[in-house]
Amino acid sequence: QVQLVESGGGLVQTGGSLRLSCAASGRTFSNYVMGWFRQAPGKEREFVASIMRSGSSTYYADSVKGRFTISRDNAKNTVYLQMNSLIPEDTAVYYCAAGSGVPGRFRADYWGQGTQVTVSS
């Protein structure tokens, strides 16, 4: 089992930035591909970004490419999502996930509880 706890969400104006963190505990963090997903009200959960075990490779949804950056610190068992140039369409609950796969094909096995991000216009 892997336990994931997100933090860093909040309210920000259009054009602002937020940095989400996800702290993992349980099994060896570096064994897992990590990812971020989000779910807006009335919509399905969608993939945002993923990062391979060593951090050497990342993958992004087209909607966030160039604005969001995923990173990880295996010594701290933490994955981050730096979000810049935020727009109202980024408003959602953001979920951290641990799993497996290759860039573009991430399978989530464990989920965090989510953190709310709200972007005001």
Side-chain angles (χ1 to χ4, degrees):
Q1 289 284 343
V2 176
Q3 293 77 42
L4 303 170
V5 179
E6 302 97 333
S7 61
L11 174 64
V12 64
Q13 291 185 334
T14 297
S17 298
L18 281 174
R19 188 194 196 202
L20 304 184
S21 299
C22 173
S25 61
R27 294 185 176 178
T28 304
F29 177 72
S30 58
N31 286 347
Y32 292 92
V33 178
M34 299 299 296
W36 287 95
F37 290 73
R38 66 186 182 185
Q39 187 167 19
K43 295 187 177 181
E44 294 186 354
R45 189 174 299 188
E46 65 174 0
F47 170 82
V48 174
S50 63
I51 185 166
M52 294 298 104
R53 296 171 180 83
S54 67
S56 60
S57 181
T58 58
Y59 188 84
Y60 297 92
D62 288 342
S63 59
V64 306
K65 202 172 294 183
R67 300 188 298 122
F68 291 10
T69 302
I70 188 171
S71 61
R72 66 190 295 163
D73 186 337
N74 286 345
K76 295 183 178 180
N77 293 348
T78 302
V79 62
Y80 306 96
L81 185 68
Q82 178 66 44
M83 305 185 295
N84 298 329
S85 302
L86 285 161
I87 57 177
E89 290 76 14
D90 295 319
T91 295
V93 177
Y94 283 71
Y95 296 91
C96 172
S100 59
V102 297
R105 289 182 178 271
F106 174 73
R107 187 190 77 181
D109 296 318
Y110 302 99
W111 295 91
Q113 83 289 350
T115 185
Q116 176 71 46
V117 172
T118 302
V119 184
S120 63
S121 56

